[in-house]
Each structure stands twice: as C-alpha cells, then as structure tokens.
Amino acid sequence: MRQITLSNGQTVEVECLSCALTSGLIEPDGGVVLETEHFHAHQDVAYPIKGLIILASKRHIKCFDELTEEEKLDYIKVLSKIRKAQRDVLGIEYVYYFYNEDTTHHFHTWMVPRYDWMYEFGRSVESIRPVLLHARNNMNGGQNLLEVMSGIEALKNELKIIGGDKN
C-alpha cells in the first residue's frame, strides 16, 4: 500500500491510484470527465491545474504495447476528443503529453496544459516538475480551485456534446 496526498490535502492509502480512480473507489474532485469501455479521464487529483487531465486505462497494464487493438483505437479517439475540448472550451493552446512505463500506477497519459504563468519555470519538459509542485504548494485553494472545478464541468459538458461518454 502507498500513501498518496491528493490536491485537496486528503491522504489516501491504495495499492494503485489508477485502479482506485477507474473503479470508483476514489472519486476525483469534480468527478469523471469522460469514461469509455476502456478508459477513464479525470482532472489530475494531485495537481490543481485547470484542464490537467489524466487518461487512464481501466485494465491494469503498464505499457502501450499491452493495449489491445480495440483499446488502441479507443485511446487515440478519446485523447483527441479531450484535446479538442481543452482547446475549444478552455482555450488551451498547447499541451504536454506524458506517459511513462515505470510508474507506480498503471497505463495513463498526462495531458498537461501550458499556461503563460508556467513559462517562468522554463519552456522545456524539465519545467514541468517545478510547475506541478508550484501548483500543489501555491494554487491549492480559493479562486484557482473554483477555476479548476469550472474547467472540469466545461470539459464534461463539451465531451457529452461531441460524444464518447458512457455516463
């Protein structure tokens, strides 16, 4: 079991955070953004950045090459729909995508928006960790959390319009 601190300050103890989220054991703040037969998308529970979406496989796998053909097709369709919604309703011009196989969770992709305030930390992939820590330590309340929650609702509504949500 691992202890994980969520963006709301709550600490949870789980074997796999991805399994806990995709199964509904842990409800992400604002709920599920989009869910299909194979994937679960939610606002990142650790870092309060508007539009920072985690797209996680429902199956407990680690590597991209473990996806079935059906899951691969679903993955790219869902990723594309979320990206379109980020651009259309949140005005997110650029996103950094991250996926790593040595994670303690299972297969998931981070869709990290790039906002102007982030450029003070740099413009490369190396700037992401300081950005995430800044958000967790300095943006975890007040107006920012209201904006994060409104972003979740806007994405959920847009994704229902363009389809792909089984909820």
Side-chain angles (χ1 to χ4, degrees):
M1 289 287 213
R2 295 184 50 227
Q3 277 197 340
I4 298 169
T5 302
L6 306 179
S7 65
N8 64 10
Q10 175 188 3
T11 300
V12 295
E13 195 168 308
V14 294
E15 286 188 41
C16 174
L17 181 59
S18 297
C19 285
L21 286 162
T22 61
S23 71
L25 183 64
I26 295 175
E27 179 74 18
D29 289 344
V32 178
V33 171
L34 181 126
E35 185 172 11
T36 67
E37 181 181 350
H38 304 291
F39 290 93
H40 181 280
H42 55 274
Q43 171 74 35
D44 188 295
V45 296
Y47 305 104
I49 297 173
K50 184 177 181 177
L52 196 172
I53 301 298
I54 301 295
L55 179 59
S57 168
K58 289 184 175 180
R59 275 196 319 124
H60 189 95
I61 58 172
K62 293 275 186 186
C63 302
F64 191 79
D65 63 337
E66 293 178 84
L67 293 171
T68 66
E69 289 303 313
E70 188 176 329
E71 288 169 330
K72 289 174 191 175
L73 291 173
D74 193 33
Y75 173 77
I76 197 65
K77 286 178 184 177
V78 171
L79 198 68
S80 298
K81 285 178 184 180
I82 294 169
R83 181 62 189 103
K84 179 171 176 28
Q86 286 174 317
R87 182 184 324 281
D88 291 351
V89 300
L90 300 183
I92 296 170
E93 189 173 348
Y94 299 110
V95 168
Y96 283 15
Y97 298 88
F98 292 96
Y99 144 69
N100 58 303
E101 295 178 348
D102 62 349
T103 180
T104 56
H105 310 304
H106 63 256
F107 180 83
H108 65 284
T109 301
W110 293 30
M111 301 175 73
V112 183
R114 291 297 288 186
Y115 292 107
D116 288 343
W117 65 265
M118 296 175 170
Y119 292 115
E120 73 181 73
F121 297 95
R123 291 189 168 268
S124 74
V125 67
E126 294 169 352
S127 70
I128 296 300
R129 184 72 178 147
V131 161
L132 296 174
L133 292 175
H134 174 81
R136 178 186 282 174
N137 296 329
N138 301 295
M139 300 171 66
N140 214 355
Q143 185 60 36
N144 186 63
L145 285 186
L146 293 175
E147 288 182 27
V148 168
M149 297 305 284
S150 74
I152 293 168
E153 285 306 310
L155 287 174
K156 286 164 64 170
N157 291 336
E158 180 69 9
L159 289 164
K160 283 180 183 173
I161 291 169
I162 62 176
D165 192 348
K166 77 173 198 176
N167 292 331

